[in-house]
Amino acid sequence: MTHCSPHDLVQLQMTSRSLYAFISTHKHLWTAAQGNVGLPLVPVVEAGGNRSSAACAVFIFAGGECTWCSKFTPAQPFSFVFRFRACSPSCLKLLLSDVSLYVDKSKTYEDFSWGRWLPRSKLHSPFNVYSKRDIKYADRERQQAIGIDDHSSRRDPLGIPHRTVAQLNEVCLKRARSRDALTEHALRLVSWQTEYFKLKATVSRANYDFIKLMSAVEGKKAQGILRTPKGAALFQAFNRDLTKLTFTVWLENRALLFAQLGCMLDGIFPVGAVGRPNDKLRALTARA
Ligand SMILES: [Zn+2]
């Protein structure tokens, strides 16, 4: 298990209750998994929320909703301070504009007790920059607490926890005390990501060359192998985990790869096959 990537360890953890308990209580497995892809260790902080190593691995490697349009994207987050993820260049542009960010020229959120915990960044500005999403959430959370104190509040549709002003102040203090450690972790993740993408590009090239070589040896086309569900999944997983494909892996998956390729050449596209613009036409032609 010490050879697992963080993503693999999460997947393994989810397979059974006993594995979940085993992996959760053996912290060295997470340390090893994070080390395998050079990921900085997750800090232990008093702020609430799921800040486990597993949650961090899912956040980085399992994809998620685009912060702007909510569409699922396999892309990694691009801002770890604000926890922003973009599915396209246009969403990225909007998330980096003043539609999503607030430049706090009047230092409003530095002086309010409930705003001191808000994640912030300088982003080439002399002032602190905040995510408008975080400000909105903090404001809503505060309004709900005030409403609970004067018995006028209903449960928030966003699922904000039910807290009085005193309880919320306590939570905000914990968050504020955790902010520096979380910001430092976010900045380390930015440096890690730059290096990770470089390594991933190198491993991807090596894995592509390997598939090309093995396909040529077997008299198949590499592009066809890479479009099969198994081929695409192997290529994506090994690249993600910065691991080179091996002859053993090829032998273990060879039969399935060829079976799926055979189906696709007959115009039947298994679930997970990587599409091409003329696939529909080819499939129709094959059925006719
Ligand atoms: Zn989007």
Side-chain angles (χ1 to χ4, degrees):
M1 269 192 219
T2 51
H3 296 292
C4 282
S5 70
H7 186 270
D8 284 344
L9 214 51
V10 172
Q11 299 296 313
L12 211 54
Q13 199 177 27
M14 295 302 153
T15 52
S16 73
R17 191 176 285 186
S18 54
L19 269 174
Y20 183 86
F22 181 82
I23 293 170
S24 302
T25 50
H26 287 72
K27 301 289 177 203
H28 73 279
L29 292 175
W30 283 109
T31 309
Q34 286 164 348
N36 289 339
V37 290
L39 203 58
L41 297 183
V42 179
V44 177
V45 291
E46 57 180 315
N50 188 353
R51 302 183 192 280
S52 65
S53 297
C56 183
V58 169
F59 177 60
I60 296 172
F61 296 107
E65 282 188 359
C66 169
T67 315
W68 180 258
C69 72
S70 302
K71 186 175 143 190
F72 178 83
T73 169
Q76 286 191 4
F78 71 86
S79 166
F80 291 100
V81 171
F82 298 137
R83 299 176 68 82
F84 280 179
R85 189 192 309 266
C87 72
S88 64
S90 55
C91 286
L92 178 70
K93 200 174 165 187
L94 285 162
L95 286 167
L96 287 173
S97 73
D98 60 5
V99 180
S100 306
L101 299 174
Y102 175 73
V103 180
D104 190 16
K105 292 180 184 169
S106 56
K107 299 189 176 179
T108 306
Y109 299 104
E110 277 177 49
D111 298 335
F112 280 154
S113 61
W114 62 271
R116 285 189 197 119
W117 67 269
L118 285 169
R120 60 204 66 191
S121 171
K122 290 286 184 194
L123 280 179
H124 315 298
S125 157
F127 307 102
N128 279 331
V129 178
Y130 298 84
S131 149
K132 286 187 176 174
R133 180 181 65 163
D134 289 339
I135 293 174
K136 198 173 163 188
Y137 181 88
D139 196 36
R140 209 157 165 168
E141 194 178 46
R142 196 170 58 109
Q143 292 305 330
Q144 176 173 276
I146 292 168
I148 286 167
D149 274 11
D150 64 20
H151 308 288
S152 65
S153 184
R154 289 183 183 172
R155 196 160 280 279
D156 189 281
L158 282 182
I160 291 173
H162 198 80
R163 294 187 184 108
T164 62
V165 170
Q167 287 168 333
L168 181 61
N169 284 343
E170 191 60 35
V171 167
C172 288
L173 268 175
K174 285 183 182 175
R175 290 180 191 159
R177 287 197 293 263
S178 307
R179 204 191 72 213
D180 284 349
L182 292 174
T183 304
E184 195 187 323
H185 182 236
L187 295 176
R188 282 186 187 174
L189 284 172
V190 173
S191 308
W192 163 82
Q193 194 179 49
T194 308
E195 200 53 36
Y196 172 83
F197 283 149
K198 278 188 211 162
L199 287 169
K200 191 179 172 193
T202 307
V203 173
S204 301
R205 272 195 300 275
N207 283 339
Y208 179 75
D209 289 345
F210 176 80
I211 289 176
K212 206 171 159 186
L213 175 70
M214 294 314 297
S215 302
V217 169
E218 305 267 13
K220 312 284 183 195
K221 286 193 173 172
Q223 285 305 326
I225 294 290
L226 283 168
R227 293 179 62 225
T228 61
K230 191 67 195 174
L234 281 174
F235 190 61
Q236 192 264 339
F238 275 72
N239 295 345
R240 180 198 61 220
D241 297 344
L242 307 179
T243 309
K244 288 185 182 175
L245 285 162
T246 61
F247 189 58
T248 309
V249 174
W250 179 265
L251 284 181
E252 279 170 1
N253 294 280
R254 183 178 174 276
L256 181 57
L257 288 169
F258 291 175
Q260 290 180 344
L261 182 63
C263 284
M264 289 169 69
L265 291 173
D266 288 339
I268 302 160
F269 292 87
V271 175
V274 179
R276 224 165 37 185
N278 63 342
D279 277 347
K280 199 174 172 186
L281 184 65
R282 289 179 63 226
L284 284 172
T285 309
R287 279 199 294 270

